[in-house]
Amino acid sequence: MPCWYEGPLAAFDTETTGVDVEEDRIVSAALVVQDGSGMRPRATRWLVNPGIPVPPGATEIHGLTDLHLQRNGRWPAPVVEEIAKALAEQCAAGRPLVVMNAPFDLTLLDRELQRHRASSLERYLGDTSLRVLDPRVLDKHLDRYRKGRRTLTDLCSQYEVVLDGAHDAAADAAASLEVVRAIGRRFSARLERLTASELHSLQTGWHAAQARGLQAWFARQGTPEAVDQSWPLRPRPALSAAA
């Protein structure tokens, strides 16, 4: 039986109106499924009319304009439900889910489900557990002393993965999947005996440690920004008490 990084994997990615997981919206998403290393991947794509204006800065990144989304995008409610069901199906099938910077994409999806379906990602998963592989967390832990940025583009360069069409959800998901396979091979001595479930649990602690390190760096710089240690999904903010 092949180890996890040579076996079946699925990868998920979104493009959005911004970087605030509580307020911003999904404008496109993709799920890429590969049954084994070297096999042809299958991609499912979604295009969403978010119902709010897309800031010019976001359009500059992913190229999706208000006009294009209004003409070609679907209303969010059915789309986010389809996405949640598709992710739950992959988890139920036993495929680990690759998500670059998972707390962003998965939390944003959860908030969209709350907004449009009065539901949650957890509800769609039911009794199925997430087994997430986050290339950013894995790389930062396994090669922690390497200098430089760790965006998807940087990781693709580091692990010699072709990224054709950056900031297209399907292209980014496919590249993330290949980066995870490349990380597994490069650090096979440390990873091949671990299961995806064990790695999921380990990444929870690794991400928390990485967040604490970033928080300490912010403190030294006099920056008040708070770093959330939750992974792979941030908890929903507590409701404010009624006045």
Side-chain angles (χ1 to χ4, degrees):
M1 183 176 180
C3 42
W4 60 266
Y5 53 82
E6 301 292 0
L9 294 175
F12 175 63
D13 188 72
T14 65
E15 297 299 329
T16 67
T17 59
V19 297
D20 184 339
V21 295
E22 303 297 340
E23 299 296 336
D24 279 304
R25 313 296 173 89
I26 295 172
V27 296
S28 70
L31 177 67
V32 174
V33 179
Q34 190 180 41
D35 292 327
S37 178
M39 300 185 70
R40 184 170 183 173
R42 308 183 298 277
T44 303
R45 298 172 173 84
W46 295 271
L47 192 66
V48 185
N49 178 357
I52 65 170
V54 180
T59 296
E60 287 179 11
I61 293 172
H62 50 57
L64 299 171
T65 65
D66 282 326
L67 182 59
H68 180 75
L69 294 170
Q70 289 164 8
R71 288 180 173 178
N72 301 286
R74 297 167 56 203
W75 189 243
V79 174
V80 295
E81 181 170 59
E82 287 177 17
I83 294 171
K85 287 181 176 179
L87 297 189
E89 181 181 344
Q90 295 306 314
C91 293
R95 291 189 185 91
L97 185 64
V98 176
V99 191
M100 173 74 182
N101 192 17
F104 178 79
D105 293 85
L106 296 182
T107 303
L108 190 62
L109 173 61
D110 179 77
R111 304 312 191 257
E112 288 278 57
L113 289 166
Q114 180 182 33
R115 184 177 294 119
H116 296 290
R117 305 299 302 184
S119 189
S120 66
L121 182 56
E122 182 181 14
R123 187 174 299 175
Y124 280 92
L125 291 170
D127 295 331
T128 304
S129 298
L130 275 172
R131 293 189 300 161
V132 175
L133 300 170
D134 187 332
R136 186 170 181 268
V137 174
L138 292 170
D139 175 72
K140 286 185 74 173
H141 178 78
L142 295 163
D143 198 359
R144 67 182 69 185
Y145 299 114
R146 190 181 77 248
K147 296 185 182 299
R149 290 160 52 85
R150 298 180 194 248
T151 66
L152 179 59
T153 300
D154 297 317
L155 295 187
C156 285
S157 177
Q158 177 68 24
Y159 291 97
E160 300 181 346
V161 169
V162 175
L163 175 54
D164 187 9
H167 300 297
D168 169 83
D172 286 356
S176 296
L177 189 153
E178 291 301 328
V179 166
V180 161
R181 293 197 190 282
I183 290 173
R185 294 177 190 127
R186 182 173 297 185
F187 298 98
S188 60
R190 299 166 65 182
L191 296 176
E192 64 184 356
R193 294 175 183 244
L194 296 170
T195 67
S197 295
E198 290 169 334
L199 261 181
H200 178 101
S201 298
L202 287 168
Q203 285 169 99
T204 302
W206 295 346
H207 178 271
Q210 292 161 11
R212 289 193 297 270
L214 181 58
Q215 188 74 76
W217 186 85
F218 281 153
R220 291 193 297 272
Q221 303 303 310
T223 302
E225 183 176 348
V227 182
D228 198 313
Q229 296 183 23
S230 305
W231 183 94
L233 181 67
R234 297 176 188 171
R236 292 181 177 180
L239 295 175
S240 300

